[in-house]
Amino acid sequence: MMNFSYTRAETVAEAIAAVAGDPAARFIAGGTNLVDLMKYDVMKPERLVDITRLPLREIEATDAGGLRIGALVPNSDLAYDARVQRDYPLLASAILAGASAQLRNAATTGGNLLQRTRCYYFYDVATPCNKREPGSGCAAKTGVNRVNAILGTSEACIATHPSDMCVALAALEATVHVEGPNGPRVLPFAEFHRLPGDAPQHDNTLAHGEMVVAVELPAPRFGRNHTYLKLRDRLSYAFALVSVAAALEMDGEGIAEARIALGGVAHKPWRVPDGEAVLKGKPATPDSFGAAADVILAGAKGYGGNDFKIELARRAIVRALAQAAAGEPQVQSDKTVN
Amino acid sequence: MSNIHPYVGRATSRVDGPLKVSGLAQYAAEFGAPDLAYAAAVPSAIAKGRVTSLDVSAARAAPGVIDVLSHENKLAFPEDDEPFKNDMVAVPGSPFRPFRDDQVHYSGQAIALVVADTHENARHAATLVRATYAAETPNVDVASAANHYEPPEPRDGIPPTPEPRGDAAGAFAAAPVQVTADYRVVAEHHNPMELQATTVVWEGDGRLLIHNKTQGVVNPKNYICSVFGLDEDKVRLVSPFVGGAFGMALRPHYDVFLAVMASLKLQRSIRLVLTRGQMFTMGWRPDCLQTVSFGADAGGRLTSIQHHAIQATSRYEDYQEPIVNWSGFLYDCDNVALKYELGKVDTPTPSDMRAPGATTGVFALECAMDELAYAAKVDPVELRLMNYSDRDKNDDKPFSSKELREAYRLGAERFGWSKRSPEPRSMREGRELIGYGMATGCWEAMTMPHKARATLTADGKLEVGCATADIGTGTYTILAQIAADALGLDIAEVTSRVGDTSLPMAPVEGGSWAAASAGSAVKSACETLKDELLKRARGIDGSPLANAGLDHVVFGNGRIALASDPAKAVSFADVLKGAGLDKLEADGGFEPDKDFAQTYAGYTHAACFVEVRVDEDLGVVRLARVVSAVAAGKILNPLTARSQILGGVVMGCGMALHEETLWDKTLGRVMNANLGEYHVPAHADIPDIDVVFVDEEDGSNPLGVKGLGEIGIVGTAAAVANAIFHATGKRVRELPITIDKLL
Ligand SMILES: Cc1cc2nc3c(=O)[nH]c(=O)nc-3n(C[C@H](O)[C@H](O)[C@H](O)COP(=O)(O)OP(=O)(O)OC[C@H]3O[C@@H](n4cnc5c(N)ncnc54)[C@H](O)[C@@H]3O)c2cc1C
Ligand code: SF4
């Protein structure tokens, strides 16, 4: 870990100015990811701008009937907020599927969006990694890639985005409110994270100095038929090998609308609208679910150690849709998959 | 025994518990010293080759840096191997020496040491050392090792691979029921909570006080004195507490070597704490390929056992553990062929890890027994009873005691084994397939020579001690229990001390021998002390005990009283006062009974029963229940004993389902060298564990103790794997059994 300077911002504008004006500066929120990366010398900011004192800790109702979640709302506060539990149980469930209670207490909403990949090579500065050191190569492609991506990969990088929360936010079509040196912007969730392409060093579409100030949820939907199903290498406290956020609007026995987002398989939460469309007007049967899975996973490619994820993802989609259709969401505290 | 023993055998809370929970227990990295400097080791980026240049200028210029050491400016140490073999746990070969030269033997090897004024400055400067390398292609996979060989020089202290008996190949060929299968146990690292660390206190005048994380203070002290040519009287090693070790702190590691080197060179106190990542640059449970073949008659009686293991070792040493030996005596069979080979890889030398050898070998043996149960259509418990051995045919000796039959019975009963329907996939609830599996565990009951001292002070308090370690097993507590019983004292009046080279000699704490050996030595010291006390009590003017012998008196409540008339007594305090002493000291010792060991084979046994639930489509495994029935001689303290078995079972569950050191085969580097990605079980993974001890009388030592530190892990992984087969019909022969293997 290298030495760095530390300042505590009092206003959003001050924080943005401090970071935007210094290429070696970074925001720090809960620090649960950034501090680890600094200890491993993966990220070497010379200046940390602590944003935890900024007034971004509220969860407020919006005029559109949704919720606006301040970027500093801790993951656990968000998961246990009564409105979220009642109206967005899919989001609450996804958050509680992640990390540990201690980490969720410290981790923030904005930090969760910006957490970096868990590709083993990214964390080890003695290895080639295009995301950490553009142009150095990608050791994961031929190495230990059990946790890596099967969709949307590139020659340069096969990393995944590790968040659980973001998978639910993708399914719920949240928007991300950003402020930066050039003013505010609002991004649809699908446009917040990006695929690696030939610039895997960029996880998302934020410019340097831009800050996430809030995440907005549209008016509640899918309150009854939803689930977050996370499959991992132990029953708790491990990142997803594959996770599925599924939300359905039922029309009698049939499906009126479906949202399906996958975690652990790509550089961003993976949604395929064509795959969701397959389910429209279809009965809630394993055949329908399988047909949707086929479209969602079209083009999936394994790299040896992660080949199994293709079949696992297929089965996880089918099961998650069954859970959602039955109105029996996965319970995160009970490790039996229902 | 003239005294009642109120403590031994009774659940007794850890005497060191309050120190541990209040944070007052001091570990190696927590001892201070005036003028302490902090060191950080610089790891090599390559796994094999040479360091061609080392640029330390930026590191030297960094804030607070005092010195940077490497092979280029090291303190001289001997070139030959012998001084480095002054290590009770050394294995054949040429021991690793940090900074010996520019050679890199494994990824993460320390190539430089930065010493600075603070831990943070040292860690930072360590990242500034720039090395260039001439790299060679490493191989870290035992399966692709150039050749496999039987170790030319056997390792001291472990049983040799038994000679073949009968005609295993012929009997196999003729057997109506045959089972042959390949198994793989993957590399694991111990990952105790406490990091490997050393604090060297420079006391001046050539004196060093060393605090080093170790499973036996005598070992690193001898090693350090030997390699740096230090006077044994000037070096003291003190390590009262160990935050878990599981075998990784048996051998001296590079932390103590480098910290002492820096201390000698800079003539000041030094602390070196390795990082979690560097915990993967030392001993590990070696990767092992195994083939087990059974021939049996139609009913399942074994007629042939063949077990072949190929285990990884480093290029520079032939680390060995008994992997195949168990197959020679756990079941009764006259045609046995066992073969144990090594394959060299570019890694650090593996080391003993909880039940080394047995954990690996019994996994294969017990999975193969399960396969035989299905092949011969016999219940797995029945099969084991049918092939039960009453004699260790490896050495042709009877067992000193073996209540395994009772362990099977009791374990099966508590588990409800009779409710199992034999067919795979025949039990389910909802989407979950239910599997019942079982396996046998076995570990050697060992003892080692120990010395101990008992000291009674004028205030009536007793201190007992020896240079063994308490690696979290409860040694402090059982020594206090034994001593309190011997002198009839309240346990609160007894202090036990371990982990200090100024205490009487003890070997490293490993192999589950400490309770029996250190305990017996303390008991012997206490017996001598009683003798000395009585002698002096008799000599007091007008002593009521004037003619009493040891058989006529009772020690209790701080007094020696006549058994026939307890009113006639002399207090310990009066004995000391009468003799003009402020303390009375007695030495004791324990020597393993060689005749007994020559006559009998000593083993602990366990029967492990596991219920798993497996999601039929997704392959998600949940452990539902574990019952571990253990036969391990006398149980000194049911509380700490149960904890040892719980820990072993959890580690076995982790071995079955989670633990795996993932090496990048091209880079020769461990890629999950942290506790986030090296998975051990989380609470959610571990079900109710029912531990039950079977009564067993054993005569191998005065306490009747056999040891409990390792038996809990042996067989557990096989029981889990067997339960998964019963649930799913899938036989997974390579650990860990992760979700992808069950799709
Ligand atoms: C052992 C472990 C296990 C974990 N397991 C899981 C898991 O299973 N599932 C899961 O989803 N997550 C998991 N996590 C990750 C955890 O959710 C993230 O570390 C956390 O959400 C990051 O939030 P933070 O506030 O601590 O971010 P920080 O570490 O403070 O910051 C992370 C990054 O975001 C930037 N940043 C922070 N806030 C803002 C903002 N408002 N605007 C712009 N940039 C910002 C920082 O500059 C930094 O680059 C795990 C973490 C650990 C350490
Ligand atoms: S997958 Fe991406 S993050 Fe991982 S090594 Fe390759 S470039 Fe780096």
Side-chain angles (χ1 to χ4, degrees):
Chain A
M1 189 182 219
M2 60 186 268
N3 289 332
F4 56 89
S5 75
Y6 169 89
T7 49
R8 196 180 270 160
E10 300 299 333
T11 66
V12 171
E14 187 194 313
I16 289 169
V19 171
D22 179 354
R26 288 264 165 192
F27 301 119
I28 182 163
T32 59
N33 190 208
L34 182 55
V35 173
D36 277 358
L37 288 162
M38 289 167 67
K39 286 187 183 165
Y40 287 125
D41 272 305
V42 173
M43 290 175 76
K44 301 184 194 178
E46 286 167 22
R47 181 173 182 192
L48 288 186
V49 178
D50 182 347
I51 59 172
T52 51
R53 300 293 166 97
L54 302 183
L56 304 172
R57 291 187 169 264
E58 301 300 317
I59 303 175
E60 296 156 321
T62 64
D63 294 343
L67 287 180
R68 182 184 159 106
I69 304 155
L72 292 171
V73 174
N75 288 176
S76 34
D77 287 12
L78 182 56
Y80 292 117
D81 182 272
R83 292 159 292 177
V84 173
Q85 295 241 316
R86 187 189 63 220
D87 297 334
Y88 306 93
L90 172 60
L91 176 60
S93 181
I95 294 171
L96 294 177
S100 64
Q102 295 89 333
L103 282 158
R104 294 192 296 264
N105 285 342
T108 64
T109 303
N112 196 310
L113 263 59
L114 280 124
Q115 64 173 299
R116 308 214 62 190
T117 184
R118 291 282 158 175
C119 174
Y120 300 155
Y121 297 88
F122 179 67
Y123 281 78
D124 182 349
V125 294
T127 65
C129 167
N130 288 326
K131 185 181 274 299
R132 175 170 32 77
E133 188 86 44
S136 62
C138 170
K141 276 201 300 184
T142 52
V144 184
N145 51 35
R146 176 176 180 77
V147 300
N148 290 69
I150 49 170
L151 287 160
T153 56
S154 71
E155 267 306 295
C157 179
I158 61 168
T160 65
H161 190 265
S163 169
D164 291 299
M165 184 181 94
C166 291
V167 183
L169 291 175
L172 294 172
E173 297 194 339
T175 51
V176 184
H177 292 251
V178 172
E179 285 184 28
N182 302 320
R185 317 193 268 148
V186 182
L187 286 87
F189 207 80
E191 288 169 26
F192 183 78
H193 296 104
R194 58 185 294 283
L195 291 180
D198 55 8
Q201 66 273 26
H202 300 299
D203 298 346
N204 52 57
T205 52
L206 286 191
H208 184 74
E210 280 193 310
M211 183 195 292
V212 172
V213 291
V215 171
E216 186 178 331
L217 294 170
R221 291 181 60 191
F222 312 109
R224 220 187 79 76
N225 297 98
H226 62 86
T227 193
Y228 188 73
L229 177 61
K230 177 176 181 181
L231 303 176
R232 52 195 137 175
D233 270 332
R234 60 182 164 195
L235 295 178
S236 171
Y237 201 35
F239 289 94
L241 292 167
V242 169
S243 70
V244 183
L248 298 176
E249 207 155 80
M250 303 298 292
D251 177 8
E253 293 296 288
I255 297 167
E257 189 179 340
R259 300 268 183 85
I260 304 161
L262 267 56
V265 296
H267 204 252
K268 60 188 289 190
W270 193 255
R271 268 191 74 190
V272 180
D274 287 349
E276 296 169 356
V278 166
L279 290 172
K280 214 179 173 84
K282 295 276 160 52
T285 62
D287 281 351
S288 319
F289 303 153
D294 287 343
V295 177
I296 292 168
L297 295 170
K301 172 172 176 312
Y303 293 83
N306 66 351
D307 292 350
F308 73 94
K309 279 191 178 185
I310 302 173
E311 179 60 23
L312 189 65
R314 202 192 131 77
R315 296 188 191 190
I317 292 170
V318 171
R319 177 67 68 82
L321 287 168
Q323 290 180 341
E328 287 168 3
Q330 180 61 40
V331 180
Q332 300 305 343
S333 55
D334 180 355
K335 303 302 173 183
T336 312
V337 183
N338 56 13
Chain B
M1 272 185 268
S2 55
N3 287 303
I4 46 160
H5 281 210
Y7 291 106
V8 165
R10 191 150 43 98
T12 307
S13 292
R14 284 169 195 266
V15 295
D16 51 334
L19 285 179
K20 284 188 169 162
V21 297
S22 62
L24 290 172
Q26 262 186 307
Y27 295 82
E30 297 179 321
F31 288 90
D35 200 26
L36 184 63
Y38 299 79
V42 180
S44 83
I46 63 158
K48 186 177 190 179
R50 274 185 327 109
V51 176
T52 48
S53 77
L54 210 51
D55 177 1
V56 300
S57 53
R60 278 192 184 279
V65 171
I66 297 162
D67 200 359
V68 183
L69 283 75
S70 70
H71 68 280
E72 292 172 350
N73 64 345
K74 69 185 175 212
L75 199 71
F77 54 77
E79 259 309 300
D80 52 324
D81 288 340
E82 279 321 302
F84 290 85
K85 290 195 166 180
N86 199 335
D87 164 4
M88 298 171 190
V89 202
V91 297
S94 174
F96 172 69
R97 270 147 276 196
F99 298 179
R100 180 190 197 185
D101 49 32
D102 58 2
Q103 292 295 317
V104 175
H105 303 278
Y106 56 84
S107 188
Q109 177 184 322
I111 55 169
L113 186 79
V114 176
V115 182
D117 58 346
T118 65
H119 176 69
E120 291 74 17
N121 279 337
R123 285 277 294 266
H124 170 56
T127 68
L128 302 177
V129 172
R130 292 282 160 267
T132 56
Y133 304 92
E136 294 167 39
T137 309
N139 171 43
V140 291
D141 182 3
V142 66
S144 17
N147 69 318
H148 303 138
Y149 59 95
E150 292 181 74
E153 185 193 338
R155 175 182 172 189
D156 258 1
I158 66 160
T161 305
E163 291 299 319
R165 59 177 185 262
D167 172 15
F172 178 78
V177 181
Q178 296 178 334
V179 164
T180 295
D182 295 333
Y183 302 90
R184 183 164 196 166
V185 170
V186 297
E188 293 180 342
H189 278 79
H190 307 66
N191 274 310
M193 286 291 272
E194 186 194 10
L195 299 170
Q196 189 58 38
T198 302
T199 305
V200 182
V201 182
W202 175 262
E203 294 189 315
D205 187 25
R207 292 189 175 276
L208 297 183
L209 171 60
I210 304 174
H211 306 287
N212 166 232
K213 174 178 179 166
T214 175
Q215 289 178 242
V217 285
V218 177
N219 203 35
K221 176 190 160 166
N222 289 351
Y223 169 87
I224 285 300
C225 289
S226 156
V227 301
F228 291 110
L230 304 177
D231 180 349
E232 297 214 352
D233 293 334
K234 292 191 164 177
V235 177
R236 181 172 165 208
L237 207 139
V238 177
S239 180
F241 293 100
V242 180
F246 312 118
M248 62 84 53
L250 288 168
R251 294 187 76 176
H253 288 298
Y254 65 86
D255 60 311
V256 68
F257 178 91
L258 291 179
V260 169
M261 179 193 279
S263 177
L264 294 171
K265 181 160 189 259
L266 300 172
Q267 310 219 331
R268 63 184 293 173
S269 301
I270 300 282
R271 175 182 299 160
L272 172 57
V273 184
L274 300 188
T275 64
R276 180 56 66 181
Q278 287 169 341
M279 295 295 279
F280 290 76
T281 59
M282 47 188 69
W284 51 293
R285 190 193 300 285
D287 202 351
C288 184
L289 309 166
Q290 301 180 70
T291 305
V292 178
S293 302
F294 288 149
D297 68 18
R301 274 268 333 152
L302 285 162
T303 55
S304 166
I305 298 177
Q306 298 175 81
H307 187 169
H308 179 198
I310 302 171
Q311 171 225 294
T313 188
S314 67
R315 293 262 176 220
Y316 49 93
E317 283 175 320
D318 279 350
Y319 168 78
Q320 297 159 52
E321 55 185 43
I323 290 178
V324 294
N325 306 46
W326 319 92
S327 296
F329 70 86
L330 195 49
Y331 300 107
D332 185 26
C333 183
D334 289 327
N335 301 299
V336 177
L338 309 174
K339 189 168 181 180
Y340 171 66
E341 293 185 298
L342 301 177
K344 287 206 175 291
V345 290
D346 296 298
T347 67
T349 302
S351 77
D352 298 308
M353 178 164 163
R354 210 169 197 167
T359 301
T360 301
V362 173
F363 167 72
L365 174 65
E366 286 299 293
C367 287
M369 281 299 276
D370 201 61
E371 304 207 29
L372 178 61
Y374 288 96
K377 301 196 168 54
V378 183
D379 174 82
V381 177
E382 262 320 296
L383 181 76
R384 285 160 174 89
L385 290 171
M386 178 189 300
N387 289 289
Y388 199 84
S389 66
D390 285 307
R391 207 173 167 79
D392 170 2
K393 288 194 177 167
N394 279 352
D395 289 331
D396 200 28
K397 291 176 190 171
F399 295 105
S400 62
S401 55
K402 182 178 174 182
E403 296 298 337
L404 176 58
R405 235 185 226 109
E406 177 60 8
Y408 288 137
R409 192 199 62 76
L410 197 61
E413 180 188 293
R414 289 177 80 116
F415 183 80
W417 183 254
S418 59
K419 297 197 196 77
R420 176 180 188 266
S421 77
E423 278 307 300
R425 301 181 70 88
S426 61
M427 295 168 71
R428 66 163 67 226
E429 187 180 326
R431 290 193 166 94
E432 282 186 331
L433 298 165
I434 299 173
Y436 287 7
M438 60 84 54
T440 312
C442 186
W443 182 246
E444 222 180 328
M446 289 181 267
T447 51
M448 297 286 270
H450 267 67
K451 297 204 182 316
R453 184 170 303 142
T455 309
L456 187 73
T457 42
D459 56 4
K461 296 209 192 300
L462 177 67
E463 182 184 286
V464 291
C466 73
T468 186
D470 185 335
I471 59 174
T473 48
T475 311
Y476 277 112
T477 310
I478 57 158
L479 297 186
Q481 287 177 271
I482 290 166
D485 282 355
L487 274 289
L489 288 169
D490 189 314
I491 200 165
E493 307 288 320
V494 181
T495 307
S496 43
R497 287 184 57 209
V498 303
D500 185 337
T501 50
S502 68
L503 293 168
M505 190 290 302
V508 288
E509 180 174 43
S512 299
W513 60 60
S517 318
S520 296
V522 161
K523 188 170 152 85
S524 132
C526 289
E527 295 304 335
T528 310
L529 182 68
K530 284 161 74 173
D531 215 17
E532 295 292 321
L533 271 172
L534 181 59
K535 245 190 259 166
R536 286 174 172 77
R538 279 200 304 247
I540 294 176
D541 270 351
S543 171
L545 308 176
N547 297 315
L550 266 180
D551 292 346
H552 307 126
V553 298
V554 175
F555 287 71
N557 304 318
R559 309 176 331 149
I560 314 172
L562 269 188
S564 54
D565 181 0
K568 296 204 167 121
V570 182
S571 74
F572 294 171
D574 285 343
V575 178
L576 265 66
K577 209 188 311 156
L581 296 170
D582 52 8
K583 64 176 184 181
L584 185 60
E585 226 171 59
D587 286 332
F590 169 75
E591 282 293 330
D593 181 341
K594 290 218 176 67
D595 289 343
F596 193 93
Q598 228 135 58
T599 319
Y600 296 104
Y603 291 97
T604 55
H605 295 92
C608 185
F609 295 82
V610 171
E611 177 186 330
V612 298
R613 303 288 183 114
V614 185
D615 185 278
E616 188 173 6
D617 302 326
L618 300 172
V620 175
V621 177
R622 286 192 310 122
L623 297 175
R625 285 180 309 135
V626 180
V627 176
S628 181
V630 178
K634 168 99 183 149
I635 303 306
L636 295 171
N637 183 344
L639 213 56
T640 50
R642 178 169 179 273
S643 295
Q644 280 304 297
I645 301 302
L646 289 180
V649 168
V650 171
M651 218 161 167
C653 294
M655 176 185 181
L657 300 177
H658 309 116
E659 288 196 52
E660 179 173 18
T661 301
L662 296 165
W663 308 82
D664 180 290
K665 297 216 172 112
T666 314
L667 304 169
R669 209 169 160 82
V670 176
M671 293 318 303
N672 60 341
N674 62 73
L675 287 180
E677 306 296 354
Y678 181 96
H679 291 152
V680 296
H683 284 95
D685 294 295
I686 297 301
D688 277 343
I689 301 172
D690 179 16
V691 176
V692 48
F693 294 105
V694 171
D695 286 336
E696 191 175 66
E697 300 259 332
D698 194 81
S700 55
N701 60 74
L703 295 168
V705 167
K706 282 179 158 183
L708 281 168
E710 345 222 0
I711 183 64
I713 190 176
V714 188
T716 302
V720 173
N722 294 342
I724 288 175
F725 177 77
H726 181 236
T728 64
K730 281 205 180 87
R731 183 65 73 180
V732 181
R733 300 186 180 89
E734 178 170 340
L735 297 180
I737 306 176
T738 41
I739 197 165
D740 46 307
K741 294 177 184 157
L742 292 173
L743 277 186

